[in-house]
Amino acid sequence: MTATRLTNRAVIRLSAQDDSEDTRAFLQGLVTNDVTGQLPCWAALLSPQGKVLFDFFVWADEADLLLDCEADQAEALAKRLSLYRLRRRIAIAPDPAVAVHWQPGEGPSPDPRLGALGQRWLAEPAGDAADEQWLAHRLHLGVCEGQAELADLLWLECNAAELNGVSFTKGCYVGQENTARMNWRQKVNRRLVVVPLDQSDPARQRAAYSQLGLTVDHRRVEDIKPEWQPVWMDTAQP
């Protein structure tokens, strides 16, 4: 059997406990992407200052929403979302009956950020782990994700616009003001970029993957070398 399961991912289920509740409307006012449209999508929950707290994928399961997130951040994300719930009758909790799966290549369920990332889907938690293969695949495509790489950075510095992680037409959400201002002014001065380990700047390094000879650096746009820049980041050129 081909290894497909991403064991370092978990799924949080948002489920309405009353017919008057709408999980999409609840999440729509909180996250960076439009969850009232086609799903799945990649999105983030930001601080009021527009910095990344969590990134995740949003999936639909009939009236429920499923958040595909880092496993070690699932409890913290569920707790943070629950703070915004107030008195709304919406259940927010990890769902261990659902797992995240991935495989390279084309197919019916492409990663919503970039087709070259391969196929991503939710299914029962079965099969062998594909975490190492996935890590190598996404880093060689120059795609960053997760707390170690994104936390506390401005969302557009994480290449969110280029990777379909933000809607500029959906209306208000937490951190929207700074995110929209950066877009209108075209003022993204720094970006995340995957670089060879021996060319990394320790002062700008976010995460190192010595087994792959790669790091994720947070660099000024003018310091990004052409050979580091993935095809999808052409618009990031100064």
Side-chain angles (χ1 to χ4, degrees):
M1 180 181 294
T2 302
T4 64
R5 186 180 175 191
L6 299 183
T7 62
N8 60 6
R9 305 291 294 184
V11 173
I12 296 172
R13 181 177 292 273
L14 280 67
S15 181
Q17 303 297 289
D18 187 282
D19 289 343
S20 65
E21 295 289 1
D22 184 337
T23 55
R24 291 203 188 207
F26 166 70
L27 200 63
Q28 179 76 349
L30 298 177
V31 304
T32 60
N33 221 332
D34 185 355
V35 302
T36 66
Q38 183 176 352
L39 298 179
C41 69
W42 185 48
L45 181 64
L46 308 180
S47 71
Q49 295 75 34
K51 294 186 177 182
V52 178
L53 297 176
F54 305 94
D55 74 300
F56 43 83
F57 297 84
V58 183
W59 301 76
D61 182 14
E62 297 184 349
D64 291 357
L65 291 180
L66 303 177
L67 307 187
D68 157 6
C69 65
E70 288 184 287
D72 61 4
Q73 296 296 318
E75 292 289 349
L77 174 55
K79 183 177 180 180
R80 173 70 67 155
L81 290 172
S82 296
L83 293 176
Y84 291 107
R85 179 178 52 188
L86 302 177
R87 295 181 182 274
R88 299 189 67 166
R89 292 179 55 79
I90 297 175
I92 303 172
D95 186 344
V98 186
V100 181
H101 294 262
W102 164 84
Q103 67 181 13
E106 297 181 354
S109 57
D111 190 300
R113 293 171 293 184
L114 185 71
L117 285 168
Q119 302 299 296
R120 191 182 192 96
W121 69 97
L122 303 182
E124 63 181 17
D128 296 330
D131 301 278
E132 292 183 5
Q133 299 96 310
W134 163 244
L135 176 65
H137 186 71
R138 74 167 178 85
L139 288 177
H140 280 101
L141 288 171
V143 175
C144 303
E145 66 180 25
Q147 286 282 301
E149 298 170 18
L150 311 186
D152 297 323
L153 298 183
L154 295 168
W155 187 225
L156 298 191
E157 293 181 343
C158 302
N159 306 311
E162 292 74 19
L163 292 170
N164 304 312
V166 59
S167 168
F168 296 111
T169 60
K170 60 164 281 185
C172 295
Y173 54 88
V174 180
Q176 182 261 351
E177 186 175 352
N178 279 347
T179 305
R181 184 183 299 115
M182 288 178 68
N183 180 61
W184 293 333
R185 295 180 178 178
Q186 293 295 294
K187 283 287 187 180
V188 182
N189 297 321
R190 292 180 174 84
R191 288 185 180 272
L192 287 178
V193 62
V194 178
V195 306
L197 182 62
D198 60 1
Q199 298 179 47
S200 176
D201 178 353
R204 307 306 305 168
Q205 190 178 107
R206 298 283 301 181
Y209 302 95
S210 56
Q211 74 276 25
L212 299 173
L214 298 170
T215 70
V216 173
D217 282 13
H218 184 219
R219 295 290 190 104
R220 293 191 66 85
V221 169
E222 59 266 27
D223 295 333
I224 297 175
K225 297 181 179 180
E227 60 267 29
W228 300 343
Q229 183 169 291
V231 172
W232 53 261
M233 214 173 87
D234 285 345
T235 56
Q237 280 282 62

